[in-house]
Amino acid sequence: MTRKAANAGLMALLLSTALGGWIDQPARAATSPAAAADGSTGAESGQGHSANHSAEIHPELWPAVAWPRVIDEAGEARVQALLGRMGLACKVGQILQGDIGTVTPQDVRTYHLGSVLNGGNSGPGGDDLAGPAQWLALADAYYEASITPSADCPPIPVMWGTDAVHGHSNIVGATLFPHNVGLGAARDPDLIERIGAATAAEIRVTGQEWTFAPTVTVPQDYRWGRAYEGYSSDPALVASYVGRMVRGLQGPPSTAPILAGPHVIASTKHFLADGGTHDGIDQGDARIGETELRLIHGAPYLPAIENGVATVMTSFSSWQGVKIAGHRGLVTDLLKGRMNFGGLVVTDWNAHGQVAGCSNASCPTTVNAGLDMLMAPDSWKLLYTSLLGQVRDGTIPMARLDDAVARVLRVKQRLGLFDAGKPSTRLLAGRYELLGSAEHRAIAREAVRKSLVLLKNDGVLPLRPTARILVAGDGADDIARQAGGWTLSWQGTGLTNAQFPGATSLWGGIAAAVRSGGGVAELVPDGQFKTRPDAAVVVFGEAPYAEFQGDLASLQLKPELRGPLATMRRLRAQGIPVVAVMLTGRPLFVNPELNAANAFVTAWLPGSEGGGVADLLFARNGLDFRGRLPMVWPAEARPGARPLFPFGYGLSLADGPQGWTVLPEDSGVAEEGSAGVYLAKGQPTAAWSLEVDRAGGGESLRVTTVPALALGGKVQIAAVDHLVQEGARQFRLRANPSGTTIRLTTTSPIDIRRQSNGELMLLATLRIDSPPSGPVSLTQGCGDRCAATIPLPELKSLPAGAWTVLGVPLKCFARAGADMGRITSPWALTTRGSMTFSLAQVSLGTLADRVVACPR
């Protein structure tokens, strides 16, 4: 089916089903029960907070949605009775959600926090690889703390939210389902509901009640680093899944307690148009009209609300330049008013701090816009103080606070949280055998099979299990790579197969299939075989990433990930049939790989059950490919390139051998450097300079060639090897009372506020050749206006002569006063003493051998 035909079908669906009536309906006055309930005046209820009239919303043009009855009269009476007994401090605490890395059980008790969450890199006791029993024990500790009564706060159990976005993916041993992009290719709503139910059951094992899923974004530009979290670029396909996933997670909407069954509460995200940002930039701006906002990005919220989704998470991003988390028209007038959403609305991670006029420590605008809970992972204590003052002085009306608190309490009442007891006593709690159970893994393996899309087959598939099969490629035996981001850690990096007990890599699945068929399988990542195989399977593709770390300038693999192409070409030149299997979160320009292979399979990010790929490569039990592209596949890497394969394309084995016309191998774009890398192989990357300066100004040398001398011979610079010949620069510093600075600098300031909020670090791959004789500090500069300096005592204890990745959290510099929106020097090391060190790379990232502690 062509994209044009798909879009025509979509519009027909939109206009003939529950989505109908969005266009050409008579204008009428919007009714907004939510606005009336929060004590706001009519003048406040529109888009009055913004001078940008293009960001005004017209709720009367949107559909009114039927919110199901999920709280009975007795439940609502209980909510109101609790609200009447709560003092101001208790109410403010209930609308805050802190990360478990910064919240102790005592904090929950003292500040009456309504919720906690575990971020992508958070775990019990600071260990994100902690065992399931530790997660459950911490859930009990938070619960016990939350129900301790006080004079102005009745016992109100805390809720724990987690990013279980493709299974209970923070937990070692849990079932990992394919990421949403793969599920979109499966075209199976029944499967989606079963995945939701299995995920909910595994979450309940470790004591959490809330998942920040499903992601119902409709990606329109696959350069976006979160595109794989969306089912499809087609809103009708996304909408067909949403209700089923919500029901799988929460159960059918009713007034019965959710926790009485094997369920959790869900959160559709990210409201609204996160997948429509300009140029696919994460946390960016959707520069689209209201009609497109409604028809494309609003469509999935209808089935979500109709099926009673308990929470909605707002986006980091903006619409027409106005941050969603501060957009009253979208949150209160539209979502809560016109669309009748009766649950609670929560922000994303410190997203309130990005709203105009706000900071992480203070943002009354967000609450007044209609947000009911602020996800403030490390800023909750500062917000607690500012919110108290803002309610007392009337900046936030008490009626608005009461409305927010009531919505939090209703969700807790709907859960049955007040009567459920501590997490370890609830249904399924401590049933650790359910994590990665055979039943759940079978569902995941089925999902893998149904999601695979066959793009090319000249007849080499299916493979014979009796044959000698060579398995090559850098992704063949890497479970973390096939699982992608949001897997045990935020980025899904730095993991080994040992951390995935019970999981199967693609190599493991192929080897098992061949062994059972009587053939021989051999794993040789570079394809340099000793015994000639009958066929080869080469696994390649993207490395794990999450959020803005995955943003691309063009739709192509990074250069360091293209090595398997040479392996394919070499094998083909030797007359060996090649099956290419691509691991990816999005469609990319891969014409050279398509040309080099006899068959090409898009496996997306299949998760823990690699055996599902082997099932189709060998057509086990007569299985066949059925996956269909959930978006257009591009013929070039440039944005807006013509389609190579249309939406809905996918071959099956039953189609038989297909002819092939060799594709042009010009990507249509120039190669680009990696974002967030300032120095690589000892040399500054484009737009950056490496300098040696006298601290405080004066003499300076820009390092362009080596060897070199600076500061009158007090600094000697030479080339040394690291990974490659001369892949680093060595700096030999003599004591200098004036101080010596080794600095990376640019004339074009960079904005790394997202990265700072996202818990990234400034990483330096270095080697201490002789230890420093005096104190060493590291500075981030922001032009002449500001700089932030932190001490580096850790350098003295690094092992001499060994390469180490030293990480400094960006938030250390932000707290020390750096303007993270205009950094001109991300790395400047200064000392007055002597030392010798070698420097290979400076970049942003999440993995370090040693992490510097932020000064207190």
Side-chain angles (χ1 to χ4, degrees), residues 626-637:
R626 53 165 284 177
R628 300 293 179 262
L629 289 178
M631 79 295 284
V632 167
W633 195 283
E636 295 179 321

Side-chain angles (χ1 to χ4, degrees), residues 381-437:
K381 193 174 291 187
L382 295 170
L383 272 178
Y384 178 85
T385 300
S386 63
L387 286 168
L388 284 174
Q390 288 153 3
V391 177
R392 285 172 178 148
D393 68 16
T395 302
I396 297 173
M398 179 60 78
R400 170 75 275 265
L401 178 62
D402 283 347
D403 175 57
V405 175
R407 285 172 177 269
V408 173
L409 296 178
R410 288 187 190 106
V411 169
K412 293 183 176 186
Q413 171 66 24
R414 182 182 175 191
L415 269 170
L417 204 59
F418 297 107
D419 306 305
K422 64 182 180 180
S424 63
T425 66
R426 301 172 191 164
L427 182 69
L428 303 185
R431 293 274 307 276
Y432 303 124
E433 72 278 6
L434 293 178
L435 296 171
S437 68

